[in-house]
Amino acid sequence: MHTAQDREARRLDTLAELDILDTPRELAFDRLTSLCRKMFRVPMSTLTFIDGHRQWFKASDGLDLRETDRRPAPCNVTITLDEPLVVPDMLRDPRFADNLFVRGAPFVRFYAGAQLKLSGVVIGSLCAIDTRPRDDFDAEATSMLVDLAAIAVDELQLRNLSMQDALTGCSSRRAFRGEGERLTALATRHVSPLSCSVLDVDHFKQVNDTYGHAVGDMVLAGVADAARCALRGSDVIGRLGGEEFGILLPHTRLDQAMGVLEKVRAAVAATRIETPAGTIGVTCSLGGAVLSPGNCFDDMLRNADLAMYGAKQAGRNQALAWVDRAPSIAPTARRVFKAGQITFNAGHSTIDCTVRGLSRDTATIEVMSTSGIPNHFKLAIAADALSRACKITAKADNRIEVAFT
């Protein structure tokens, strides 16, 4: 019999294999939440996945949020159950009566969630949510919600077979990662250089907030076209997340790669995208990194990502290179996906986190916000029975790099 800890570890492992978190919105999943909302006549519906510290919505209808803290989320209870969770009135259920999302926005009073099950593992939930109590959600309605959740799982499995991002025409994230690992193996075998980059569109949230997601999609497609035209025939571009792209530059040293990335930056900055809201121009920030001896594809991609954050902090609309100051002694972090907990203030303050990289001496951690987290704290990873004192070595947005002390 699996313990709750074993079950959570299996859930996160399965979720990691799907590589679904932080991927762009996709029409198939948007249609499911829209259908769910209409079928059950509720104001909100979400397709929800939960990692170590947050609930993240692959799709949502009637709710503008993309993610929230994991702890108060009703879906956090749903994923621990084997059968659908239906709560006619959240205020009358002791599990939720004082819940943050019940007493405050979005003021949930009715909740129905069906588990997304893949190979017997619950990886998320499809939810119907109302701001008023409901006593009419019967067995037939629950059965229909379960069927919709099964359709969502089928779509997830089909999605993994896709090699192309439908919006931009770039490689899908899964295809990009596969090509990156293949090129890494070739570069290591033949001792040839390999560089990569992470490109992020500057101030993209303002574009969506000002003009709407449809115009935002047009901007992303325009950025992808501009970048693709500035790249060489041997280079590969893939869409990693909402406004984030990855670029692979085979047989390319870092100094050569930065020249290519500067061309990409200039091409994006010069592009004018015609939309129903008028002509829009945007810029981008890029980080470049080269494959170092002993490193894997994820190490290189992580370094490029950190360099991109450095470009953001330096003022945006520029390309910066990652420089490994001590490649011979730098610890190699393996890619992981584990639930963790940050503890400080003599154990009185705790914050859930997701551990995304781990080595003997370091860890890469994701949190809802780095605000208020001190430079020194303890990190616990229950699945590994690990508890270590840490010191922050770098942080940007919701990501923290730490060294064990």
Side-chain angles (χ1 to χ4, degrees), residues 37-258:
R37 183 180 176 185
K38 292 171 183 174
M39 282 179 60
F40 303 118
R41 299 185 180 184
V42 293
M44 293 170 280
S45 175
T46 67
L47 186 69
T48 306
F49 298 94
I50 296 179
D51 62 13
H53 67 286
R54 60 177 175 156
Q55 69 168 348
W56 178 81
F57 306 130
K58 174 62 179 174
S60 62
D61 196 354
L63 191 66
D64 290 333
L65 296 172
R66 199 73 202 270
E67 63 182 27
T68 77
D69 188 4
R70 168 181 177 165
R71 294 189 188 189
C75 295
N76 199 30
V77 176
T78 303
I79 63 170
T80 67
L81 306 175
D82 294 319
E83 299 297 329
L85 174 63
V86 179
V87 184
D89 188 348
M90 301 286 272
L91 284 176
R92 295 182 177 276
D93 190 314
R95 293 172 296 180
F96 304 107
D98 295 321
N99 188 280
L100 176 69
F101 298 142
V102 175
R103 296 290 181 177
F107 300 101
V108 178
R109 287 294 299 273
F110 166 81
Y111 171 90
Q115 293 80 3
L116 307 176
K117 296 181 181 179
L118 187 62
S119 301
V121 178
V122 177
I123 56 172
S125 57
L126 177 65
C127 311
I129 303 166
D130 207 330
T131 55
R132 60 184 179 87
R134 294 275 297 268
D135 58 7
D136 58 345
F137 204 87
D138 56 15
E140 183 179 6
T142 302
S143 177
M144 287 191 290
L145 184 62
V146 169
D147 286 343
L148 288 176
I151 293 172
V153 171
D154 289 342
E155 191 62 39
L156 283 168
Q157 293 175 309
L158 287 173
R159 173 190 171 276
N160 276 356
L161 301 176
S162 175
M163 301 297 285
Q164 188 178 66
D165 175 59
L167 174 66
T168 64
C170 297
S171 296
S172 67
R173 188 164 83 168
R174 191 174 186 88
F176 179 81
R177 176 172 293 282
E179 184 65 3
E181 291 174 347
R182 186 186 74 83
L183 289 174
T184 298
L186 286 174
T188 301
R189 184 183 311 146
H190 299 294
V191 196
S192 60
L194 171 65
S195 295
C196 81
S197 172
V198 172
L199 180 158
D200 190 270
V201 181
D202 295 330
H203 301 298
F204 184 68
K205 185 177 185 300
Q206 291 182 13
V207 174
N208 274 340
D209 290 347
T210 303
Y211 304 108
H213 288 284
V215 170
D217 287 349
M218 296 178 71
V219 169
L220 288 177
V223 168
D225 285 342
R228 196 159 32 226
C229 289
L231 291 170
R232 305 162 304 180
S234 60
D235 300 330
V236 179
I237 182 169
R239 191 175 177 201
L240 302 180
E243 68 270 26
E244 193 172 75
F245 297 83
I247 299 171
L248 293 165
L249 304 109
H251 304 287
T252 307
R253 302 189 310 270
L254 184 58
D255 60 329
Q256 298 169 322
M258 297 313 296

